Amino acid sequence: MAQTNFASVYKDIFPFWNEIPDMDKNYICQNSSILTYPMGKNVHDGDECSGVILVRSGSLRVYMLSESGKDITLYRLHEGDMCMLSASCVLDAITFDVFIDADEDSECYVIGGPAFAAVSKRNPSIKIFALETAVSRFSDVMWVMQQILFMSMDKRLAIFLLDESARTNSDLILLTHEQIARYIGSAREVVSRMLKYFASEGMVEVSRKGVKILDRKHLRKLTC
């Protein structure tokens, strides 16, 4: 992609773009690339400084991994979303590692971490933007932790199904039991049993295509 095209994208995304010198704008553009990731591909592997990732199309999953290999989904990134936690060299205060996988075939703008870090040191407005972007995601992380620690399984699953339906604007959730379990931090067997119960109560219909919401009102009652 031509450098001028990167600039036209970034001026609409970054509030600091018109405040920094042309030299730094050019440096960011020169260290930018468009990368494609097939579904299941690892995008960011823990403590490496992959860079700032902007999702152009597709979906990415950001998660933490325990020593035993168990993972917890922190949040997902969709078209137009940005990940700053993948650029650990920009945010020295972030001391934990996150991993990122492509949930579906995805295309992303990626700004090299060292380049973005170098420019942010010269421009406080970039550093502030990076911190604000990272902090804004911590509300998502805390919401996930609250669900795992304090909410019953039926409530967590009902919230997820309703949120996913709202995001996709569809009653049909095109996800497997394994994917749903990964997103809500549970086991596939537990999710399957709970979906079977939801189906027996007429709230959903489970098929090979996914999960179809039949009784939205009943599901909402579970979230209260």
Side-chain angles (χ1 to χ4, degrees), residues 26 35 53 75 79 83 85 90 98 120 148 160 172 186 195:
N26 292 334
L35 299 178
I53 300 173
Y75 52 86
E79 182 179 344
C83 185
L85 297 184
V90 178
V98 298
S120 69
I148 293 174
F160 175 82
L172 181 60
S186 185
L195 285 174

Side-chain angles (χ1 to χ4, degrees), residues 64-72 99:
M64 296 183 70
L65 195 63
S66 71
E67 293 183 359
S68 63
K70 179 178 175 58
D71 64 74
I72 296 177
F99 298 79

Side-chain angles (χ1 to χ4, degrees), residues 28-29 38 41 48 81 85 107 109 122 134 143 145 147 201:
I28 290 176
C29 292
K41 175 72 174 178
E48 65 181 21
D81 289 337
L85 297 184
E107 186 173 70
Y109 298 109
R122 298 193 292 267
W143 171 239
M145 296 306 168
Q147 286 183 306
E201 292 292 309

Side-chain angles (χ1 to χ4, degrees), residues 85-97:
L85 297 184
S86 53
S88 56
C89 52
V90 178
L91 302 169
D92 298 332
I94 305 299
T95 57
F96 60 90
D97 298 334

Side-chain angles (χ1 to χ4, degrees), residues 25-85:
K25 292 179 184 177
N26 292 334
Y27 191 58
I28 290 176
C29 292
Q30 289 165 4
N31 286 275
S32 296
S33 56
I34 292 182
L35 299 178
T36 57
Y37 304 99
M39 184 174 65
K41 175 72 174 178
N42 179 253
V43 176
H44 174 69
D45 189 12
D47 60 356
E48 65 181 21
C49 190
S50 301
V52 179
I53 300 173
L54 299 92
V55 181
R56 190 182 186 194
S57 64
S59 176
L60 307 180
R61 181 174 77 101
V62 181
Y63 61 97
M64 296 183 70
L65 195 63
S66 71
E67 293 183 359
S68 63
K70 179 178 175 58
D71 64 74
I72 296 177
T73 300
L74 301 179
Y75 52 86
R76 287 185 290 162
L77 300 167
H78 304 286
E79 182 179 344
D81 289 337
M82 180 186 312
C83 185
M84 197 65 66
L85 297 184

